[in-house]
Each structure stands twice: as structure tokens, then as C-alpha cells.
Amino acid sequence: MARPGSGVLVSLGGGYSSQSMARVVVWEWMNEHGRWRPYSAAVCHHIENVLKGDARGTVILGQVDPQLAPYVIDLQSMHQFRQDTGTMRPVQRNFYDPSSSPGKGIVWEWENDCGSWTAYDMELCVSIQNAYEKQHPWLDLSSLGFSYLVDFDGMSQTNRQSQRKRRIRRRMDLAYPLIAGSIPKSQSWPVGTNSGTPCTCQQCMLVHSTRAASNAILALQQRRKLYGTEGGANQTAAVVRQSNTFAGTSLWSPTTTVARGHHNNIKVVGGGAGKMEMNGGNFPCAPALVTLPTNHTLTINGQNNLNRPGTQRIAVTTSRGSIPPGVPALPVKNLTGSGPVHPALAGITGILMCAAGLPVCLTRAPKPILHPPPINKSDLKPVPGINSIRRKTKKKHLRKGKNPEDVVRRYTEKVKTAPDEDCTICMERLATASGYEGVLNYKGIKPELVGKLGKCGHMYHLLCLVAMYNNGNKDGSLQCPTCKAIYGEKTGTQPPGKMEYHVIPHSLPGHSDTKTIRIVYDIPAGIQTTEHPNPGKKYSARGFPRHCYLPDNEKGRKVLKLLIMAWDRRLIFTIGTSSTTGESDTVVWNEIHHKTEFGSNLTGHGYPDPNYLDNVMRELSAQGVGEDNLKD
């Protein structure tokens, strides 16, 4: 049955007012693209229970969800740590209204290509449920940065660019924990002298700053209420909302005059002499407030914006006589990141200046240059100092696990008298039995035995080290949970594929005096094995072959050699959930940044980036692939 009413443009349904006494708690972790992903309700209840007992303790997620066995949360530094790879991610404790979807145990999910279901981000889930309860027939997610239209009648989401449809579903689950009392100060980032810091490479800084910019803009839009034309001859305000291109009706303020016709060619005229015209596209953000002083003309030309590479071109022309004395005319022109003004800062400045009635000029950002010009095969040359041009990983190369007891004994020495401190794996005192007593049973390892790792000297129950090894890749290596020191040769779970590399006769921005090393990764789809999250289930491989670039200089060749070693150890990719699309059971990058943009750096994945080679060498070293592994 069709749902009554009209569709809506989504507004943020996130955090909850701190003035209410009761609130729902949702714990979330940040992925590499700056988006907060919620833990399940069961996991959140477990975290809250641990938090009540020890606010600076450690949460072992595998105790409540077997799929999260490698993960622990350090409540003091507010970080999630993956024991088998050493990956650390920030976590936060967020709060929502008890009447919202997490308080009712309602989960909204979309169907991925493998036929399994992926939960929406919590802020999206809250917004979708709000629209559903109000019986809106559809919901536009574009103002949250997602080019999707949710259709409640058909229970589907449609990509506004590709028009591809996916099924969605609404299911009941355990409600998230409810607490009462004052909300503590946010600990979204690590605190304290011993806590870690977020990644500071240019790629991640761009991701985090862009997200902060978009959140600031959306918050500004949410705080402002739409209102009609006010004032006399000296001031005119035109209030604009994005047109509804799906329902075929206009969402413009009734106090403005709209020239009826095609939704991509709209003229809005307020009182006085202010005028605004829109040609060829929808306004990028909704709702948006634009204040137009007398004699100002605003023209917007461009394409529908949110998921397209080019931004809209906005130009404000004005008569100098209409600008009050002392107000500077500051054009914001740099949106490409090539100059001193960061794109996110330029965008915020443009919106604020426009709202204040100041003249603004935002130029169209060019499309990213992902690939070099066409190259003949005869121009492809081997990389100097590297014999081969191709590496392959086949199923026969996948290593079998080794005996856990033997691995633990190889890298530890027994401690006769245990110190009076905690084992940071099970959080029991070292002088008492391991917390895994009764869970694991090994004849040669008693629960009370304590061992010291050879290089770093950190101490743990031997049974706890065996449990940690069993939760990892079982490749014969250990990684200290405290200092991340690696013992043995660490390998990953990268599926079979091939890696090619050669020199092309073109230069990267910032490296005009050298040619370029191009790396081509190609991994096909397949079936997961016992080392993967869901053995026997299909996994997808999106975006292959993937092209990456390095400068053809001494340091670039050194990085290539380390990447080849990481490929041989199966550390470049893994199978998991895409932080970009939310798709599960797919091939994803494994915490080693690559540059996939050849001739620009609009996405943060390109050049120039003077610190990239040093940053990626540190990332490789954290995976146990360091310069000391290279043979002369």
C-alpha cells in the first residue's frame, strides 16, 4: 500500500541533547575514510558492562562476538586494537534519544552484491527510521553525502547516478543500552600521555578535514530555519531548498517566486533588487540559506554535485557601491588544493561569505587525473635494480598454520616469579591463572605459566599468547600487544592474484625530473578459505586492476622492493568490509596507503605529497616489512 505524504530531504539525526536525563549509548569506530561505524547492540552492552567495572580497562570484543575475536578496545586511549595486524582505530561513545531507532532496537540494512546485509551508519539509520515513522514515501540522503534515494514503498535504495537499485530491510534487534545521568566529556580521540595519535599522512588528513568541513556545513544548515523574504529596499533575503526532482513537486519556500518549468532551470526572485538564478543543476546542499544584499546577482551553473568529481561553479557579481565600507571583497578561487588554501577551508569560507552577503567566486574543481596518457607497450621498461616485472600469489603459496605451542615457546622464555601486574591480554594478574583457563586446554602450557617476549621483554600468560595466536593468521609469527614488536615473519590473508610493475615515460607532479613506476594489482573474485572471515562464501573484487604510482628514483625503488615483499607475504590486501561502500566479503586495502591518482591530488591519493614515501615506509615497517629485510 502506498504511503501518504511527500518525500523528505534528510537532516542529521545524530547525537542526542545533553539536557535529557535518559539516553541510548552507541559505541562506534572510525574507518579510514572518517566515517563512524556502529558496533552491534550486543557489543555495546558488553562494552558498557566493562566500563562500569573499570573505566580505564580493556574490552575483549571476541567474548561477545566471535567474528571480532582479534579486536580489543583500550578504554583509556579510546582506541580499538587488532591483535593480529596491529591496526589501531579511534572509538567513540555516542548518545541518542531513547525513542530513536537504536533505542527501539531497529536496524536498517542494505543488500550487498554477495547477498548479505550491511547496516547503515547510525546517523543514517536514525534519519531513515524517522522518515519511515512519519510515513514519508521516500527519503533523499544527498545532504549527508550519499547519492541515494530510499523508497519505502518498494523497500529499495536507488543510486541517483547509476540508477542501480538495491533491496533494503528493516529488522528488529536488541535495543542499545540505556543510561541515565550526565553525559561525560567526549573521548573520541585518545587522551593521556601514552595514548596514540591519528594518522598524519596527507591522505588521511585530507579525509578527516573534509569530513569535519562537511559536518560543519550540515550543522550550520540544520541550525538555520527557512524563512521568507523580509526587509525593505535595502536588504533582500531569498531562502532556497533543493528541488524535489523525484516526486515532481517543488520544495521551494512558498514565500519566494519560482518560475515553473524544468527543475534544472530555476529562477528565484525575492523582494527589492536581489536576484538569483540556477541553470543546469540542483543546489548542492539542502536546506541552504543564502542572503542577497541589494543589487547582488547570484548565478549557479553546473551538474548535480554530491557524487560527481566536479563541484558546481558559483559566481557572485556585485556593484562596488552596494558593499558596505570596510567589508573586504575576498574571492575564494582555490578549490583544487594546488595552492595555500585547502579545499575544505575554501568551501566553508565560500558558504559563510555568501550567507554574510559578501562577494564569492568558487571556481569549478577539475576532475582528478587518475591515469597517464596512452602508452605503447614498447615504452614500458623494467624497473632498474629489480629483475622481474611480475609477482603472482596462488593457492599453493598459502601457508599452513603452525603449532601454537611451538610458536609461543620459540619467542618467549619462562618467568619463574611473575611480577605484580596485569596481563594485558586477559586483564588478570600475572601471579594468578590466565583468564583463558577452562577455555583453552594445552597439555604443555599450564594456565599459571608466564612468559617474557625476547626482544621487547613484555610479559603475558603463555596461554593468553596461545589464544592471541589462534585468533590471528597462524603464520608462525607473534606481535606484542603492547609495543607491536613483531616476532618472526608476519603474513596476511590476501587472496590469490598478480602484481605487475614497470617504468612509464611520464613524470608525477612534484617529481618532474624522474620517470614513473606504475604498479598494477589484479585480484579476481573467488571463494573464501578457512583463513578468511566467512569460509566457503564468495568474495567480490571491485575496481581491479588497480593502478598505483611511485617516482622512479632511489627511494621510490626502495618502496617498490618493500611493496613486493609485502605482496609476497600477502599483506597488501585482505577480505573484509569496504569502508567506502559498506559492502562486506570484498577485497579491501590492508592499511598500506597507495597513490592511485597519477596527475593530480584532488582526492588525497595523488601527488605532490612530499611525505608519502616516508609515511608508506613506516606503514610497511609496522607490518614487519622494513629496510633491514632488503638484500643488497
Side-chain angles (χ1 to χ4, degrees):
M1 184 176 73
R3 297 166 65 85
S6 60
V8 294
L9 291 163
V10 65
S11 61
L12 284 174
Y16 181 49
S17 173
S18 61
Q19 297 178 355
S20 177
M21 293 302 294
R23 59 196 62 83
V24 172
V25 178
V26 177
W27 283 83
E28 300 167 314
W29 58 276
M30 177 182 280
N31 63 24
E32 58 266 34
H33 292 273
R35 294 204 64 83
W36 290 102
R37 298 289 298 156
Y39 292 101
S40 69
V43 171
C44 290
H45 277 279
H46 178 58
I47 299 174
E48 285 295 306
N49 289 336
V50 176
L51 183 66
K52 292 176 183 177
D54 184 3
R56 294 178 176 268
T58 300
V59 184
I60 304 174
L61 301 184
Q63 292 179 347
V64 66
D65 187 347
Q67 291 188 342
L68 300 181
Y71 298 96
V72 298
I73 293 178
D74 177 26
L75 294 176
Q76 181 174 1
S77 65
M78 292 296 283
H79 267 80
Q80 169 191 279
F81 170 60
R82 179 166 178 167
Q83 299 178 78
D84 55 344
T85 65
T87 303
M88 298 184 69
R89 295 184 183 277
V91 299
Q92 72 172 4
R93 187 174 184 236
N94 211 350
F95 303 91
Y96 292 86
D97 192 308
S99 63
S100 64
S101 55
K104 298 176 179 178
I106 298 173
V107 180
W108 284 89
E109 300 172 321
W110 56 274
E111 187 179 29
N112 58 41
D113 292 339
C114 296
S116 56
W117 294 90
T118 302
Y120 286 93
D121 292 357
M122 189 54 69
E123 62 180 14
L124 294 181
C125 185
V126 170
S127 299
I128 292 172
Q129 178 62 21
N130 288 342
Y132 180 85
E133 291 177 349
K134 295 177 181 177
Q135 297 189 346
H136 293 296
W138 55 265
L139 180 68
D140 186 354
L141 300 178
S142 60
S143 62
L144 287 182
F146 297 90
S147 184
Y148 293 104
L149 182 75
V150 174
D151 177 15
F152 293 114
D153 290 333
M155 288 301 282
S156 65
Q157 73 170 22
T158 302
N159 187 311
R160 296 177 61 179
Q161 287 183 275
S162 65
Q163 296 302 309
R164 181 178 181 180
K165 284 189 176 182
R166 294 181 183 270
R167 290 195 301 163
I168 64 173
R169 74 176 183 181
R170 175 181 179 267
R171 67 175 180 86
M172 297 301 298
D173 198 353
L174 180 68
Y176 279 81
L178 184 69
I179 66 168
S182 60
I183 296 179
K185 187 177 180 181
S186 172
Q187 290 186 2
S188 298
W189 289 103
V191 294
T193 56
N194 295 326
S195 61
T197 56
C199 177
T200 57
C201 75
Q202 184 171 353
Q203 182 173 333
C204 288
M205 290 291 286
L206 176 63
V207 168
H208 297 322
S209 61
T210 302
R211 173 172 170 79
S214 63
N215 283 346
I217 294 170
L218 289 169
L220 174 65
Q221 294 171 358
Q222 189 181 30
R223 287 195 299 268
R224 300 214 183 214
K225 295 182 179 179
L226 297 176
Y227 57 88
T229 305
E230 294 180 2
N234 295 329
Q235 183 176 359
T236 300
V239 182
V240 182
R241 293 189 71 178
Q242 184 174 358
S243 65
N244 178 359
T245 59
F246 289 92
T249 59
S250 175
L251 293 179
W252 296 92
S253 169
T255 58
T256 59
T257 303
V258 180
R260 300 294 177 185
H262 196 281
H263 289 286
N264 284 341
N265 187 2
I266 300 175
K267 177 183 290 186
V268 179
V269 182
K275 182 178 71 173
M276 184 179 75
E277 297 179 353
M278 300 182 68
N279 299 306
N282 296 327
F283 197 75
C285 296
L289 176 65
V290 183
T291 305
L292 302 178
T294 306
N295 298 327
H296 282 204
T297 300
L298 172 63
T299 304
I300 301 179
N301 300 298
Q303 303 296 324
N304 200 320
N305 78 315
L306 279 171
N307 284 271
R308 304 202 179 196
T311 58
Q312 291 191 342
R313 181 177 185 273
I314 303 176
V316 178
T317 58
T318 178
S319 166
R320 284 288 179 182
S322 63
I323 303 178
V327 177
L330 301 176
V332 180
K333 297 182 179 180
N334 189 345
L335 290 182
T336 65
S338 59
V341 181
H342 193 281
L345 177 61
I348 294 177
T349 304
I351 289 178
L352 296 178
M353 290 176 64
C354 186
L358 297 177
V360 181
C361 179
L362 305 183
T363 61
R364 176 186 294 274
K367 295 181 179 181
I369 304 173
L370 300 178
H371 303 290
I375 305 169
N376 295 325
K377 287 187 177 181
S378 59
D379 293 330
L380 303 180
K381 305 297 181 183
V383 180
I386 299 178
N387 296 329
S388 63
I389 61 171
R390 185 181 295 108
R391 310 288 285 194
K392 288 187 178 181
T393 303
K394 298 181 180 179
K395 290 184 179 180
K396 66 180 182 180
H397 293 160
L398 309 186
R399 302 180 180 181
K400 295 182 180 180
K402 299 182 180 180
N403 186 292
E405 293 181 60
D406 295 339
V407 174
V408 170
R409 292 184 184 279
R410 182 182 309 144
Y411 302 119
T412 60
E413 57 185 50
K414 289 184 181 180
V415 177
K416 294 181 179 180
T417 304
D420 186 23
E421 59 186 48
D422 288 341
C423 170
T424 56
I425 298 178
C426 70
M427 301 311 297
E428 299 289 345
R429 305 298 287 180
L430 288 173
T432 63
S434 166
Y436 286 92
E437 182 181 16
V439 179
L440 296 178
N441 185 19
Y442 285 88
K443 293 181 180 179
I445 298 182
K446 297 180 180 180
E448 61 273 10
L449 290 180
V450 175
K452 180 172 69 173
L453 291 171
K455 288 190 294 185
C456 62
H458 290 114
M459 300 183 196
Y460 309 93
H461 292 114
L462 293 181
L463 195 60
C464 292
L465 290 174
V466 170
M468 184 183 73
Y469 180 81
N470 285 332
N471 286 332
N473 199 27
K474 303 182 183 70
D475 58 0
S477 70
L478 278 179
Q479 185 167 18
C480 176
T482 302
C483 66
K484 314 303 181 296
I486 296 175
Y487 295 80
E489 183 178 297
K490 178 182 176 181
T491 60
T493 60
Q494 177 179 289
K498 65 179 180 179
M499 170 189 185
E500 298 181 352
Y501 33 88
H502 45 251
V503 176
I504 60 176
H506 298 288
S507 299
L508 294 166
H511 299 277
S512 58
D513 56 338
T514 64
K515 295 181 180 179
T516 299
I517 299 171
R518 179 168 63 184
I519 306 171
V520 182
Y521 296 110
D522 196 2
I523 296 179
I527 305 294
Q528 298 182 54
T529 63
T530 54
E531 64 183 357
H532 295 133
N534 298 298
K537 192 175 182 180
K538 292 182 179 179
Y539 64 84
S540 61
R542 309 293 179 195
F544 288 95
R546 300 187 185 182
H547 292 215
C548 310
Y549 303 95
L550 295 168
D552 184 25
N553 54 28
E554 183 179 355
K555 185 175 285 188
R557 294 170 198 152
K558 181 184 295 184
V559 169
L560 175 61
K561 291 178 181 179
L562 294 173
L563 289 174
I564 293 173
M565 188 178 301
W567 172 269
D568 290 341
R569 297 182 184 181
R570 305 170 58 221
L571 295 169
I572 301 292
F573 296 95
T574 188
I575 294 177
T577 300
S578 170
S579 56
T580 304
T581 66
E583 180 182 7
S584 58
D585 299 304
T586 189
V587 179
V588 295
W589 294 105
N590 189 33
E591 309 299 334
I592 300 175
H593 285 125
H594 283 66
K595 292 296 187 181
T596 55
E597 193 176 343
F598 173 78
S600 56
N601 195 20
L602 302 181
T603 65
H605 299 271
Y607 294 91
D609 186 348
N611 300 321
Y612 168 67
L613 295 179
D614 291 327
N615 289 338
V616 75
M617 288 175 69
R618 281 193 289 269
E619 292 172 346
L620 286 161
S621 180
Q623 299 281 0
V625 183
E627 295 183 66
D628 53 337
N629 298 123
L630 296 177
K631 297 179 180 179
D632 296 332

